[in-house]
Structures are given as C-alpha cells and as structure tokens.
C-alpha cells in the first residue's frame, strides 16, 4: 500500500515515537459512525474508551444511549436496552450468517483489530478505501456484484466504495470534507481501536532505551576504572 505519513508514526515516520492527533481521531470516529457502522462493528471498543479521544463524560453518555444493546427482559425474552458507557459497541448483525444474508453472501468483518490483522494495516485500509477503480484490466473479469479494487487480496471486493464523494460527511470541527481526508482520518481511528495503548508503548520503549544507554556508559566507565592499573 501507499506509504503515508502518520502522526502516530512520529519522527521520520519511523514508528519509533509518535502520538495520535486527537482531533483526527475524533474525525475518524465521525466517519466510522456515519459511514462504516452501517455494516461494520467495532465490538472490542467500549464507549468509555472514547475518553482517550478527548470526548467528555457527557458526550460519551450521549453516544452510548444512541446505540441499542441486546439484552434479556424479565420474561427471559431477547430485547434491547439503551447503551451505557461501560457497554461495547454492539454488533451490526447478531451473527455471521445473518450478516451474509443481508450482504449478498459477503461478510463485513469487525473492524476493531483490522489494522493489526492486515500487514501494514493503517496504510492498507487507507489504500483500500481510495483504491476502487472503474476500469478492470483486460486480463481479469469482474465477478457479478463485486467491485474492482487492486488492494484487496482477490482484487474484487463485495464492499461498495464507502467513501464515494467529497462532502459526504460534514465534519463537526469544520475540517474540509474530502475523500482523502475521510480515508486518512478513519484509518487513523482504526489504528487507535486496534492499539489504544500505542502512545504508552512507544514512550515506555524510548525511556527504556535511554535507560539502557546510560547503564551501558556507566558500565564501560567502571570497567575502565577497575582495570586501569592492569597493563
Ligand atoms: C470489508 C473497511 C464501509 C461492507 C472491509 C474490509 C475493510 C473495510 C478494512 C476488509 C478488507 C479485508 O478483508 O482485507 C471499511 C471502512 C468503511 C467501510 C473503513 C467506512 C469508511 C462499509 C460499508 C459496507 C461495507 C458501508 C456496506 C454497505 C463490507 C463488506 C466487506 C467489507 C461486505 C467484505 C468484503 C469481501 O469479503 O469481499 N471493509 N468498510 N463496508 N466491507 Fe467495509
């Protein structure tokens, strides 16, 4: 996939340092909510996890109650109740069979861990979203009902192009809505869902390396001192 520069890849886009851009995560969540959530769940994420994106407790409560969570009523019958911050984002379909029945036989996977499940996942999701092409190469024949997208493993994907036009989503923060912006923002958001502790992992790693370097220097200096008299 195309190598993009991501804030969470830090200095030199090397991936050693880096922090998420909170505003971008919020925009990515908006794209997920308004577009992707029609078909894909993020069932590993709890509403209260959104605090890490900078949402307030009241905002999180409002998001949670807008979702119906499967539940059981007093008579033991399945029902739904309003979401609370402790709930996870619900599944879109109760199970895979129901999803395939509604999606022409295709299965829209849960996106929580997608950027980890695919190699170079953030760039992959970004390229996939922008990678639909109208012209199918002459050597290939498009199967009925599938879309040509060279980034997908089989080149033909059942997902209709989800980011079809600029201004499809009106950003709450006033950022101009373009397909490129939506793709970058939602890919960043899905990187966070897959690795919410990315920032802590990186800062701990950098601190550990600095600590080990100092320890090595001290070790070397004491070695010099201890053996100074031995010729
Ligand atoms: C598959 C992302 C919106 C239906 C996928 C995959 C990703 C993805 C990463 C998996 C590709 C793979 O397996 O490597 C997104 C994102 C969306 C979005 C980020 C929003 C911007 C939608 C919508 C629908 C949909 C709105 C339904 C209309 C599907 C289906 C598949 C799929 C059916 C399975 C494709 C196949 O196996 O051929 N999507 N999607 N997606 N998506 Fe989406």
């Amino acid at each position: 996939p195309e190598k993009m520069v991501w804030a969470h890849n830090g200095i030199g886009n090397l991936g050693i340092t880096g922090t998420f851009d909170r505003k971008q995560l919020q925009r990515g969540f908006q794209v997920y909510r308004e577009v992707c959530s029609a078909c894909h769940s993020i069932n590993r994420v709890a509403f209260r996890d959104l605090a890490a994106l900078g949402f307030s407790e009241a905002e999180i409560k409002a998001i949670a109650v807008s979702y119906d969570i499967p539940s059981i009523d007093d008579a033991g019958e399945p029902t739904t109740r309003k979401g609370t911050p402790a709930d996870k984002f619900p599944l879109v379909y109760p199970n895979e069979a129901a999803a395939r029945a509604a999606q022409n036989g295709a299965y829209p996977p849960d996106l929580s861990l997608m950027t980890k499940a695919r190699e170079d996942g953030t760039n992959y999701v970004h390229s996939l979203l922008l990678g639909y092409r109208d012209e199918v190469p002459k050597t290939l024949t498009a199967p009925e009902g599938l879309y040509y997208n060279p980034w997908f493993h089989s080149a033909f994907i059942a997902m209709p192009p989800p980011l079809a036009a600029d201004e499809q989503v009106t950003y709450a923060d006033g950022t101009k809505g373009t397909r490129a912006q939506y793709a970058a923002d939602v890919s960043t958001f899905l990187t966070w869902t897959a690795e919410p502790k990315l920032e802590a992992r990186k800062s701990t790693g950098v601190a550990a390396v600095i600590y080990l370097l100092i320890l090595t220097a001290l070790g070397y200096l004491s070695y010099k001192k201890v053996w100074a008299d031995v010729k």
Side-chain angles (χ1 to χ4, degrees):
E2 191 185 346
K3 298 275 177 227
M4 300 291 290
V5 175
W6 303 104
H8 61 263
N9 276 349
I11 302 164
N13 207 31
L14 291 174
I16 296 169
T17 58
T19 50
F20 288 116
D21 173 346
R22 294 286 177 289
K23 285 263 173 285
Q24 181 169 43
L25 287 178
Q26 292 202 12
R27 289 196 302 272
F29 172 57
Q30 197 186 340
V31 175
Y32 165 74
R33 208 175 165 193
E34 291 184 24
V35 184
C36 325
S37 71
C39 305
H40 295 277
S41 53
I42 44 169
N43 192 234
R44 303 238 173 183
V45 182
F47 296 113
R48 62 181 167 202
D49 297 337
L50 294 174
L53 271 55
F55 287 111
S56 70
E57 217 170 297
E59 287 169 320
I60 291 172
K61 272 200 183 127
I63 293 166
V65 297
S66 74
Y67 286 81
D68 290 326
I69 309 293
S71 175
I72 308 265
D73 68 13
D74 293 343
E77 294 299 322
T79 177
T80 59
R81 60 172 174 78
K82 295 281 166 224
T84 71
D87 289 313
K88 302 238 162 106
F89 279 79
L91 298 174
V92 179
Y93 302 101
N95 53 54
E96 186 175 335
R100 287 189 191 277
Q103 293 280 343
N104 257 328
Y107 178 53
D110 186 274
L111 293 183
S112 315
L113 300 177
M114 183 53 73
T115 57
K116 287 278 171 196
R118 298 284 175 268
E119 197 182 333
D120 195 7
T122 311
N123 286 320
Y124 167 71
V125 171
H126 178 263
S127 288
L128 182 80
L129 292 174
L130 297 178
Y132 288 85
R133 300 282 176 266
D134 288 336
E135 275 139 50
V136 180
K138 288 202 175 56
T139 49
L140 301 173
T141 24
E144 185 68 27
L146 298 188
Y147 303 84
Y148 177 55
N149 187 324
W151 302 107
F152 192 59
H153 62 85
S154 63
F156 293 99
I157 188 165
M159 169 166 72
L163 304 175
D166 293 348
E167 287 168 44
Q168 185 178 345
V169 175
T170 308
Y171 278 130
D173 70 0
T175 300
K176 195 166 162 19
T178 62
R179 292 176 65 239
Q181 188 74 45
Y182 303 144
D185 293 350
V186 81
S187 307
T188 303
F189 172 69
L190 293 175
T191 305
W192 172 78
T193 61
E195 210 193 337
K197 300 271 190 291
L198 173 146
E199 294 174 347
R201 168 171 69 76
K202 291 186 176 182
S203 61
T204 308
V206 170
V209 169
I210 292 172
Y211 171 79
L212 289 171
L213 286 176
I214 293 172
L215 208 62
T216 308
L218 284 175
Y220 179 72
L221 291 175
S222 20
Y223 152 81
K224 278 289 193 201
K225 193 169 164 77
V226 167
W227 294 94
D229 299 339
V230 183
K231 281 272 155 333

